[in-house]
Amino acid sequence: MQVLSIVGARPQFVKLAPVAEALTAGGHEHVIVHTGQHYDADMSDVFFADLRIPAPDVHLGIGSGSHGTQTGTMLAALDSVLADRRPDWVLVYGDTNSTLAGTLAAVKLHLPVAHLEAGLRSFNRAMPEEHNRVLTDHAADLLLAPTDVAVTNLAREGLAERTVRVGDVMTDVCFRVRDAVRDTAPELPAGFEPGGYVAATIHRAENTDDPKRLTAVVDALAGLPVPVLLLAHPRLVVRCREFGIALERPGSALHTASPLPYPGMVAAVLHSAGVVTDSGGLQKEAYLLGRPCSTLRTETEWLETLHDDWNVLVPEPADLADAVTRPVPSAPQGTPYGDGHAAGQVVDALVRGGPA
Ligand code: UD1
């Protein structure tokens, strides 16, 4: 079997790692196409190196642009790549513009498409990611769902026949890396103590693209009663510069640093008191690593994380301090994301060509 994976953004490299390993272990041919959506070394190359992902076979080098331009340019560039290779499966990941472009390029060429992390829904139609996922799920031939909630969402949209619950491949990577870094202290800024700080990331358009909202978010982080290690996504840095919002605030709780490689991020969360984020992946990683999470959004796709307040939604930045200082949940997290062996199930589903 030949599988062609299309990836482009940071969370997709994390999902690709265990899938690439399982495909190779199964003796399958695997072609990796990188769209170039994320191009900074610390958003891309470092993930391939640390997670031991083979270098991309094809790099499209598309880079940033408006949603339409970025998606359309990828679509055009993928045409000849897919037509040349004609894989048994085109595998797309998550909810980014690379996911949608890969799906459209494949279906136009009548190539079978499998969507990894199918069925996630925020039901927030203002999010570009929500459109990317819904359109991808309805176009794809095989829907690889991570959770029961995702399976239910797909069934409600009439897609049950194409759905297989495979579990969550990010859990595979998270557990493996957790075990490797557990005894390694994270590199922390001066004045930060293990267990005494919050790890934070912000990148979603809803939080970054409106100056009033972004000011409130950064002010709330800077005003927290615990030190905050903000690992700044390029979109956040660009918008703060555009709007004149300072990310360096001496004397405040806020310490801003560059994005971390994956093992460094896992270590930073593992040794933190908690997480503040608007990232989907990081909400789940906090949950898997047993750290309380406060999510600066009105909804989440990972409903399981909300149980027992392991994760709480904080729509208003002004409420962040109360959320961050809530008591640590006493109930164990449960295992809705599986035991870290989802990638093997992905490969089995691809080999079978559908549900068992
Ligand atoms: C994208 C995904 C989002 C995912 C996120 C993970 C879409 C619509 N959004 O958001 O679902 O959660 O990736 O990070 O696909 N930039 C750089 N260097 C880079 C990459 C981006 O400087 O390596 C800057 C550029 O100014 C760019 C901006 O970040 O315009 C946003 O990048 P983009 O790819 O449009 O989306 P993300 O916000 O990263």
Side-chain angles (χ1 to χ4, degrees), residues 81-151:
V81 176
L82 297 187
D84 282 352
R85 306 266 176 170
R86 300 213 68 86
D88 298 303
W89 282 107
V90 173
L91 185 57
V92 295
Y93 300 69
D95 59 15
T96 72
N97 291 339
S98 299
T99 316
L100 180 60
T103 305
L104 287 176
V107 296
K108 296 282 181 198
L109 291 165
H110 305 292
L111 293 169
V113 184
H115 182 206
L116 185 89
E117 216 171 71
L120 292 195
R121 297 289 181 268
S122 66
F123 303 103
N124 177 353
R125 289 172 51 79
M127 287 174 68
E129 293 85 357
E130 183 74 354
H131 295 286
N132 289 342
R133 345 178 150 98
V134 171
L135 292 166
T136 296
D137 282 339
H138 283 260
D141 302 281
L142 178 59
L143 304 175
L144 302 164
T147 61
D148 293 336
V149 173
V151 169

Side-chain angles (χ1 to χ4, degrees), residues 11 37-40 64 67 95-97 129 203 233-235:
Q37 177 168 356
H38 286 174
Y39 43 86
D40 287 348
S64 306
H67 285 290
D95 59 15
T96 72
N97 291 339
E129 293 85 357
H203 80 278
H233 186 286
R235 173 191 279 275

